[in-house]
Amino acid sequence: QVQLVESGGGLVQAGGSLRLSCAASGRTFTMYAMGWFRQAPGKQREFVAAINWSSGSTYYADSVKGRFTVSRDNAENTEYLQMNSLKPEDTAVYYCAASRRPVTRGSRSLEYGTSGYYNYWGQGTQVTVSS
């Protein structure tokens, strides 16, 4: 079992920054990848970013490339999402996710961007960006 807890959400004006954290506990040695998703009211959950746990390779949705950075601290079993140049359309509940399923490099972009790939989910943290 892997437990995930997000933190760092809040209110920020457009153009501002926030840093989200996702602390993992339990059988973290089995983690293969961790990701971030977000969901706005009335919208489907959408992929934001992901990171391969061992290599540190990162993957991003087109909507956040150049603005968001995903990283991890292996020793602390924590995933981060640094969000810069925030826009009102970034407003959503942000969820971290973890998976124990290994994938080939050629399949990562597709697998990491699909919510069904992940085994574990956090409770979510609210991010609100005002204009």
Side-chain angles (χ1 to χ4, degrees):
Q1 295 291 320
V2 175
Q3 296 80 44
L4 306 174
V5 179
E6 303 98 334
S7 62
L11 277 67
V12 64
Q13 293 189 14
S17 299
L18 283 174
R19 180 172 176 264
L20 305 183
S21 299
C22 177
S25 61
R27 295 185 65 197
T28 55
F29 64 89
T30 66
M31 288 194 302
Y32 190 83
M34 294 187 71
W36 290 96
F37 287 74
R38 65 188 183 186
Q39 187 168 23
K43 302 290 184 66
Q44 294 186 114
R45 185 173 298 183
E46 66 173 341
F47 171 73
V48 176
I51 186 167
N52 180 278
W53 198 251
S54 61
S55 72
S57 297
T58 57
Y59 305 84
Y60 298 94
D62 289 341
S63 59
V64 305
K65 286 181 179 177
R67 299 189 299 122
F68 291 10
T69 302
V70 63
S71 62
R72 89 288 200 229
D73 185 328
N74 298 74
E76 297 294 330
N77 293 314
T78 301
E79 180 192 34
Y80 302 96
L81 184 67
Q82 178 66 47
M83 304 185 293
N84 299 325
S85 301
L86 283 163
K87 305 174 181 179
E89 49 263 45
D90 295 319
T91 296
V93 176
Y94 283 70
Y95 300 90
C96 66
S99 179
R100 294 183 285 110
R101 302 174 182 177
V103 297
T104 63
R105 286 184 176 83
S107 299
R108 287 174 181 173
S109 293
L110 178 62
E111 296 284 359
Y112 290 178
T114 304
S115 61
Y117 166 73
Y118 299 90
N119 304 104
Y120 307 100
W121 294 85
Q123 185 64 37
T125 185
Q126 177 71 49
V127 172
T128 302
V129 184
S130 64
S131 59

